[in-house]
Amino acid sequence: MARVLTITLNPALDLNVETGRVDLGCVNRTRTSRLEAAGKGVNLGRVLSRLGHSVTLSGLLGETNATPFENLFASERLEDRFVRVPGHNRINVKIAEDGGRVTDLNGTGMVAPPDALDHLKSRLGELSGEYDAVIIAGSLPGGFLPEALSELATLARSANVPVWLDTSGPALTAGLLALPDGIKPNLDELAEWAGQPLDTLAAITEAARLLQDRGIANVVVSMGEKGVLWLSPQGNWRSLPPPVTVTSTVCAGDTLLAGMIHGLLEKHHPEQILSTATALSAECVRHAGVGDPQADDFSRLIQQTRVSPWPGHNKNGDMPL
């Protein structure tokens, strides 16, 4: 299996809550709650490790409440190369109501010290020959400029290591300048980058193609229950997920990207890559936490996933989502 490095610059403790309908301004009772060490790169690493890869996690980790992360790394067989910085990691509250509505309350955490980028570069060392893929994922902490994220991506690219980026806003804009091999925006993130609503499949395809025209080889757009659009050098595909009961969409995008990178590293056929990744993401939304490739019915979920070539502007290209 492959060696993968994920970089998380703004990790979080996620408080995942399942409940009935929330009445604002009233006392509500939760059905279940779980506090879990998380962050996009951490979530990606957990899935990739479960898929059999050797995973190293790095980035910035607040030292005040680092223990839950360290416990998770040990239990999931993840190599810890995080740079400890003063302060605490943020706490995010994810409220999943019956019916599938999810509300995120994302907290603020540490402020990166001025020398954080230098320490991180030193910790990463020589990338060439050490990793088969690098994934930079998640938001930026206070004090960490978007241009610094671009530097990290450029560092990996200069070592001839495939780099994937999963972020949004100014961090995405800056990261694109490093020309990562792939990105995975969701619809909202892609619309924000495009500067306009993306209400049809044709509009989504056009925005993704604009990213390809800038030099991004792989553009993976997650569209929730509408599936996934993947534009790649080998062709374009769209997937439709299997029917599942949605409990929480938290971690679904991270799980999807982990499945995509797994298939690419294993050199699977593109349709197999997308069907497996989409099915794994569908498995994820059935419960809190990341997707489980060892789920008893995972093979059935793959079989129920539909993948077809996507030509873009065909007779159905202007259909609303």
Side-chain angles (χ1 to χ4, degrees), residues 148-168:
L149 181 146
S150 183
E151 284 191 47
L152 291 176
T154 300
L155 176 66
R157 292 266 307 164
S158 65
N160 295 317
V161 180
V163 180
W164 281 73
L165 181 64
D166 186 7
T167 187
S168 60

Side-chain angles (χ1 to χ4, degrees), residues 27 87 102-103 106 119 121 123 145 147 157 174 179 201 204 240 301 311:
V27 175
V102 177
T103 300
N106 289 345
H119 282 299
K121 286 182 175 179
R123 177 62 56 88
L145 297 177
E147 292 75 15
R157 292 266 307 164
L179 299 180
L201 291 171
I204 296 167
L240 291 173
L301 292 176

Side-chain angles (χ1 to χ4, degrees), residues 13 25 72 74 94 121 142 152 187 206 255-256 264 266 287 298 303-304 313:
L13 290 169
L72 175 70
K94 315 288 186 179
K121 286 182 175 179
L152 291 176
L187 276 181
E206 182 61 27
T255 297
L256 170 70
L264 288 166
E266 293 298 300
H287 55 81
F298 185 50
Q303 294 171 358
Q304 292 178 334
H313 295 295

Side-chain angles (χ1 to χ4, degrees), residues 166-239:
D166 186 7
T167 187
S168 60
L172 174 60
T173 301
L176 290 174
L177 298 177
L179 299 180
D181 296 84
I183 60 172
K184 192 219 66 65
N186 61 31
L187 276 181
D188 291 339
E189 293 163 348
L190 183 61
E192 181 184 16
W193 175 83
Q196 62 183 5
L198 302 175
D199 299 326
T200 66
L201 291 171
I204 296 167
T205 304
E206 182 61 27
R209 281 183 168 152
L210 287 174
L211 286 164
Q212 277 196 318
D213 291 343
R214 290 192 171 205
I216 311 302
N218 292 276
V219 181
V220 179
V221 185
S222 55
M223 304 183 293
E225 71 276 5
K226 301 298 182 181
V228 180
L229 180 65
W230 178 24
L231 274 59
S232 81
Q234 290 75 38
N236 305 328
W237 290 269
R238 182 194 178 187
S239 67

Side-chain angles (χ1 to χ4, degrees), residues 4-9 39-46 48 55-59 78-79 81-82 124 131 133-137 261:
V4 182
L5 169 68
T6 75
I7 299 176
T8 308
L9 299 167
K40 280 186 170 295
V42 174
N43 299 335
L44 281 156
R46 294 178 65 189
L48 286 164
V55 179
T56 299
L57 305 183
S58 191
L78 304 168
E79 182 183 356
R81 291 179 68 174
F82 269 96
L124 297 180
Y131 300 108
V134 175
I135 313 162
I136 304 174
I261 292 172

